[in-house]
Amino acid sequence: PFRWQRGWQAEFRRLVPGEQPTLQVAPVLERLVFPRCQAALLAWIRCLAREPQLRWLVPAHYEAPLACSPERLGELAAELEGRPWAPDGGSWAYLAGIDRALVRWGVVPASPAVAAQEWPKD
């Protein structure tokens, strides 16, 4: 269904920079599941960060379990806010094309139907 582009290894290394797995949102989730819901995802991450005893996260991708902390979740939220969300270009173009097709076919909404609500603080 697709062809690997030249330099894909370097792009992968940008996504997974070290030998150890890192806390991140997988690109396919960011571009196809959460592209219109960044605020809701950030609210959920910050809600988790309020759990002082949080020590581990079991991600759906890469290696598990992953050491985690409230501080690291706060850093993740800041990282996600500090860069373009669900971009269209570069290595994201393929996923962006799928997303646009899903919107065009009416499979997913062009914008969220319900605004993200703040997660409870307690």
Side-chain angles (χ1 to χ4, degrees):
F2 63 91
R3 288 195 172 142
W4 291 104
Q5 301 291 320
R6 253 182 215 201
W8 71 266
Q9 295 95 336
E11 186 65 27
F12 179 79
R13 279 291 142 221
R14 278 191 285 281
L15 289 172
V16 185
E19 294 300 318
Q20 297 299 317
T22 185
L23 189 58
Q24 69 184 98
V25 176
V28 70
L29 294 176
E30 181 175 332
R31 191 64 188 107
L32 296 179
V33 177
F34 300 121
R36 289 159 287 282
C37 298
Q38 182 186 26
L41 179 62
L42 290 170
W44 180 71
I45 290 170
R46 288 197 170 98
C47 180
L48 289 178
R50 290 191 295 269
E51 296 297 326
Q53 295 185 353
L54 181 72
R55 298 289 177 261
W56 298 99
L57 181 74
V58 180
H61 298 284
Y62 310 119
E63 295 185 27
L66 190 61
C68 191
S69 68
E71 295 79 22
R72 183 59 192 112
L73 286 170
E75 292 168 4
L76 175 63
E79 288 170 24
L80 294 174
E81 286 179 317
R83 64 168 178 76
W85 180 250
D88 288 337
S91 62
W92 294 75
Y94 183 77
L95 292 174
I98 293 171
D99 183 54
R100 283 190 297 275
L102 293 173
V103 169
R104 189 173 56 249
W105 297 332
V107 175
V108 297
S111 62
V114 177
Q117 296 180 7
E118 183 68 28
W119 285 83
K121 298 201 189 286
D122 297 326

